Amino acid sequence: MPSSHDRAVASAFDAQADQFERAPVQTDPAALARLLEVADLEPESLVLDVGCGPGLVAEALLEAGHSVVGIDLSTEMIARARRRCERFGDRVVFLVGSLQDPQPAEFAPFDACLSRYVLHHIHDPMLFVARQAALLRSGGVLVLSDQTTDPSPESRSWHQGVERLRDHSHTSHATPGELADLLTVSGMESVHMQEETFVLDFDEWFDRGSPQREKAFVRHVVLSGPPTHGFRPQEQTDGRIRIECWRATARGVKSGR
């Protein structure tokens, strides 16, 4: 039985699927290429794509020669992923459900588990990462990629408050260090991380969200915050808001001991 939070996430992403699938931050081919570069998977790996959305990451993995099992809470996202990746035939399977469901284990062990922009919708990040670790073979790769936040409690609190105003399914971003720590605590070795900037347009970002407050209010809050690592808005001369963000991708290898 899905939790109330899982149902809220599914509903939010069912509603925003069309905009999400076209969002610049999701579709950026250079960012997808860097994700695969950091993942550094062995040829023809079997990959569990957790929170696969409309299949953008899965498509990149399949084009690189891997096989994919994708899982997502959103029925609409899975329908889009199946259409997008239909041409890859039996090299890909998409499942509607939660990582904690029995279904993913039917395909285990995986050579790699990967999630992108998923962790900040999870109530229990440790359980989320530990479940993926359990589904990996010895020597398998675990990759977490997500927007990061500021280690300062004040800046972090403000940033997460803004995110929740814009998206009621948001839980919390990790700091870069916390992202790496999740892998280490889950038994991953050879942990390394790459962090890079990306840019959001406030209107595009807000319009594909699931807001709790009206746009004008959130705009005011966004422009009134402290300097923050991970979310740095700047109003442009034309009135639009450019937000500089940071994304970290952390990779670890499951111990063979």
Side-chain angles (χ1 to χ4, degrees):
M1 182 73 175
S3 68
S4 58
H5 179 70
D6 283 356
R7 290 195 297 272
V9 171
S11 175
F13 281 94
D14 281 345
Q16 65 177 263
D18 182 58
Q19 290 170 297
F20 184 100
E21 191 172 18
R22 294 181 284 110
V25 71
Q26 304 293 342
T27 58
D28 179 7
L32 286 164
R34 284 193 296 275
L35 176 65
L36 266 62
E37 182 181 358
V38 175
D40 190 22
L41 305 181
E42 294 182 5
E44 300 181 356
S45 288
L46 174 61
V47 185
L48 178 62
D49 182 5
V50 184
C52 64
L56 294 162
V57 173
E59 182 180 42
L61 288 164
L62 290 158
E63 288 176 341
H66 304 297
S67 297
V68 176
V69 175
I71 187 164
D72 200 283
L73 294 168
S74 166
T75 302
E76 178 60 28
M77 288 291 196
I78 289 295
R80 289 169 182 267
R82 286 171 177 160
R83 289 196 295 270
R84 173 179 294 277
C85 298
E86 184 178 15
R87 69 187 188 275
F88 296 103
D90 61 5
R91 284 174 50 213
V92 60
V93 175
F94 290 108
L95 309 170
V96 177
S98 164
L99 177 63
Q100 306 302 328
D101 292 345
Q103 295 179 86
E106 296 173 9
F107 299 87
F110 292 94
D111 299 309
C113 293
L114 183 152
S115 67
R116 184 179 74 144
Y117 299 129
V118 177
L119 198 62
H120 64 268
H121 293 289
I122 303 299
H123 271 312
D124 190 338
M126 278 302 310
L127 180 63
F128 176 73
V129 178
R131 171 64 168 163
Q132 292 176 72
L135 294 171
L136 280 175
R137 64 167 175 82
S138 175
V141 172
L142 206 164
V143 178
L144 302 173
S145 186
D146 202 5
Q147 183 178 347
T148 54
T149 193
D150 201 295
S152 158
E154 178 186 2
S155 295
R156 179 178 191 161
S157 176
W158 173 80
H159 177 200
Q160 300 314 296
V162 169
E163 295 282 1
R164 293 183 193 110
L165 287 174
R166 176 258 175 186
D167 180 1
H168 65 77
S169 70
H170 181 90
T171 54
S172 182
H173 286 120
T175 66
E178 288 169 345
L179 203 65
D181 287 347
L182 282 169
L183 294 181
T184 302
V185 173
S186 298
M188 299 298 116
E189 297 181 341
S190 303
V191 173
H192 71 267
M193 183 178 64
Q194 176 179 301
E195 196 174 22
E196 61 185 346
T197 59
F198 67 97
V199 174
L200 294 173
D201 173 81
F202 171 80
D203 292 298
E204 187 277 331
W205 169 75
F206 183 89
D207 291 346
R208 62 179 165 84
S210 303
Q212 300 190 73
R213 293 293 303 268
E214 65 278 6
K215 190 174 187 178
F217 178 83
V218 177
R219 177 186 170 90
H220 171 74
V221 174
V222 162
L223 290 175
S224 64
T228 301
H229 176 90
F231 193 89
R232 194 165 296 171
Q234 185 175 34
E235 188 172 13
Q236 308 297 291
T237 55
D238 62 1
R240 299 188 74 85
I241 301 174
R242 177 185 187 274
I243 308 172
E244 182 188 69
C245 304
W246 285 84
R247 169 179 55 231
T249 300
R251 177 190 191 271
V253 178
K254 184 173 180 178
S255 169
R257 294 192 299 248

